[in-house]
């Protein structure tokens, strides 16, 4: 039987209560659950509303404010522009698929490091090993990242093709393919 998702209740006083351990926890503790790949759900103790995404976003906000941010202001601005846009739903899937692809590339690199240098390479204790690995694996890294970018471009092209096809179905008399426009000129 699969392990049940850990339930965390959020109280009006902004405290988080872990029902599995019967203790109050912090956002740092929730971050540790994420890093440990442990399934959990955060719910409002009063209403029962699912607050998991809000808590995860709060953790990201703290991480972004605490040192070396991952997201530039330009990227965040662009993401905001997608809200309310017809592309909003597709963009979420696009970003999620890109992160999955990047994670797969990262797993392959870890496996290569294990084979080349032996031993475990997971975690922060192996930063020197990773630096050494990346220094000598520049061409391989470039190839893997090139493949990742190529997959990303293909996903985006598929997304555009799907949108064009849907537009043709919805507006059959109005939509003209770009190739057909060029031929008419």
């Amino acid at each position: 039987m699969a392990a049940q998702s850990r339930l965390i209740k959020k109280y009006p006083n902004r405290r988080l209560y872990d029902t599995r351990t019967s203790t109050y926890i912090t956002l740092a503790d929730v971050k540790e659950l994420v890093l440990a790949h442990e399934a959990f759900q955060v719910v409002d103790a009063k209403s029962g509303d699912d607050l998991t995404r809000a808590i995860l976003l709060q953790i990201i906000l703290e991480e972004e404010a605490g040192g070396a941010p991952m997201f530039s202001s330009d990227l965040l601005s662009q993401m905001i522009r997608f809200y309310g846009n017809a592309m909003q739903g597709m963009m979420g899937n696009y970003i999620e698929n890109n992160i999955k692809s990047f994670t797969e590339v990262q797993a392959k690199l870890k496996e290569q490091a294990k084979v080349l240098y032996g031993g475990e390479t997971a975690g922060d204790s192996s930063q020197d090993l990773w630096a050494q690995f990346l220094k000598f694996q520049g061409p391989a890294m470039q190839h893997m990242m090139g493949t990742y970018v190529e997959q990303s471009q293909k996903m985006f092209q598929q997304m555009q093709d799907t949108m064009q096809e849907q537009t043709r179905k919805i507006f059959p008399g109005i939509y003209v393919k770009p190739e057909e426009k060029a031929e008419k000129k």
Side-chain angles (χ1 to χ4, degrees):
M1 186 169 127
Q4 192 175 22
S5 179
R6 190 177 208 143
L7 181 64
I8 299 168
K9 293 183 179 181
K10 184 172 186 290
Y11 286 92
N13 63 3
R14 301 174 59 157
R15 293 188 75 185
L16 300 168
Y17 184 77
D18 185 343
T19 59
R20 184 177 292 169
T21 61
S22 299
T23 58
Y24 286 100
I25 62 173
T26 65
L27 283 178
D29 296 322
V30 176
K31 177 184 170 189
E32 291 301 318
L33 294 175
V34 171
L35 294 175
H37 298 274
E38 186 158 347
F40 65 91
Q41 181 182 22
V42 181
V43 297
D44 185 280
K46 189 174 183 179
S47 68
D49 292 342
D50 188 351
L51 302 176
T52 308
R53 289 181 67 253
I55 294 298
L56 293 172
L57 286 168
Q58 196 173 351
I59 292 168
I60 290 171
L61 182 62
E62 284 190 5
E63 289 293 318
E64 285 290 304
M70 189 181 307
F71 303 113
S72 68
S73 295
D74 289 339
L75 173 65
L76 292 170
S77 296
Q78 191 61 40
M79 288 174 67
I80 290 168
R81 289 182 193 109
F82 280 110
Y83 284 97
N85 186 313
M87 294 286 290
Q88 179 177 341
M90 297 178 86
M91 188 51 65
N93 290 335
Y94 176 74
I95 292 170
E96 186 174 347
N97 287 333
N98 272 289
I99 289 176
K100 284 179 183 176
S101 294
F102 186 81
T103 303
E104 290 170 9
V105 168
Q106 187 180 29
K108 288 177 184 177
L109 286 173
K110 282 184 178 183
E111 196 56 40
Q112 278 186 337
K114 262 187 189 178
V115 170
L116 290 173
Y117 300 108
E120 289 297 316
T121 59
D124 293 331
S125 61
S126 62
Q127 291 299 327
D128 292 337
L129 181 62
W130 269 107
Q132 184 182 12
F133 172 75
L134 292 174
K135 178 181 175 184
F136 293 113
Q137 294 298 316
M141 178 75 161
Q142 286 176 343
H143 174 71
M144 290 180 88
M145 290 309 292
T147 301
Y148 164 74
V149 169
E150 192 175 301
Q151 287 174 345
S152 178
Q153 288 172 336
K154 285 179 184 177
M155 275 192 290
F156 189 75
Q157 185 61 48
Q158 288 172 345
M159 192 168 41
Q160 282 184 317
D161 293 344
T162 301
M163 286 183 61
Q164 286 179 350
E165 184 61 33
Q166 289 174 349
T167 303
R168 278 194 292 274
K169 287 178 182 177
I170 294 171
F171 306 107
I174 298 173
Y175 181 78
V176 179
K177 292 180 184 178
E179 312 86 59
E180 292 172 0
K181 283 182 185 177
E183 289 174 8
K184 288 181 180 180
K185 289 184 179 183

